[in-house]
Amino acid sequence: MNKNLMLLAALALGGCAMTSGSNTAQLQAHPWQLQGADGDGFTLQVSEGKVAGKGGCNRYFGGITQLDEQALTLTGMGATRMMCPGDLMAREGDYFQKLSQVASYQVSANQLVLKDASQTTLLTFEARPAQ
């Protein structure tokens, strides 16, 4: 009986370990910073069926209609409407446009890649420490 209990405990812990290492868990584990962006400019956070972040100078938010180990579809995106200096407004518009095209994602180590329906890379992020 004791061996059965140990086996059951090992299976339960193994299941937890597999879940915490899943793409979905890694995606939601911490905030993401757009690769090549300076400072706090372009960020992404996925949590509890929602997406939010900063798109250069405006904050944005939205819902998620599909999220599994590879698929990610964002919906109902909205943003604040502050004026951005220089070409930041155009870069932000491009960022928001790419977010609307996301169909899948891939997490490996500390990198997140968002792709469109044809598997073309749209955006690449680096993990940031949780705040």
Side-chain angles (χ1 to χ4, degrees):
M1 174 134 159
N2 194 9
K3 288 182 182 180
N4 289 340
L5 186 56
M6 287 176 44
L7 179 60
L8 183 59
L11 288 172
L13 288 174
C16 290
M18 286 172 39
T19 301
S20 66
S22 73
N23 276 341
T24 305
Q26 290 179 15
L27 174 66
Q28 298 180 73
H30 40 73
W32 298 93
Q33 173 77 40
L34 185 64
Q35 201 170 50
D38 295 330
D40 192 31
F42 294 84
T43 64
L44 175 84
Q45 176 75 49
V46 176
S47 178
E48 299 177 10
K50 296 179 182 171
V51 63
K54 192 169 180 189
C57 68
N58 286 292
R59 296 206 173 273
Y60 68 91
F61 47 88
I64 297 173
T65 56
Q66 182 178 12
L67 175 60
D68 61 34
E69 289 301 301
Q70 295 178 334
L72 174 63
T73 306
L74 309 176
T75 187
M77 301 297 287
T80 58
R81 297 285 180 198
M82 297 187 311
M83 288 297 297
C84 305
D87 71 338
L88 191 55
M89 188 67 105
R91 290 188 1 212
E92 184 175 79
D94 182 54
Y95 177 75
F96 290 154
Q97 178 65 29
K98 288 178 179 177
L99 283 178
S100 73
Q101 297 172 14
V102 171
S104 67
Y105 71 100
Q106 178 182 355
V107 179
S108 60
N110 289 327
Q111 188 176 67
L112 166 66
V113 178
L114 300 181
K115 299 178 179 185
D116 65 13
S118 65
Q119 295 301 301
T120 301
T121 297
L122 296 169
L123 300 163
T124 304
F125 295 85
E126 297 172 355
R128 290 180 27 172
Q131 297 174 350

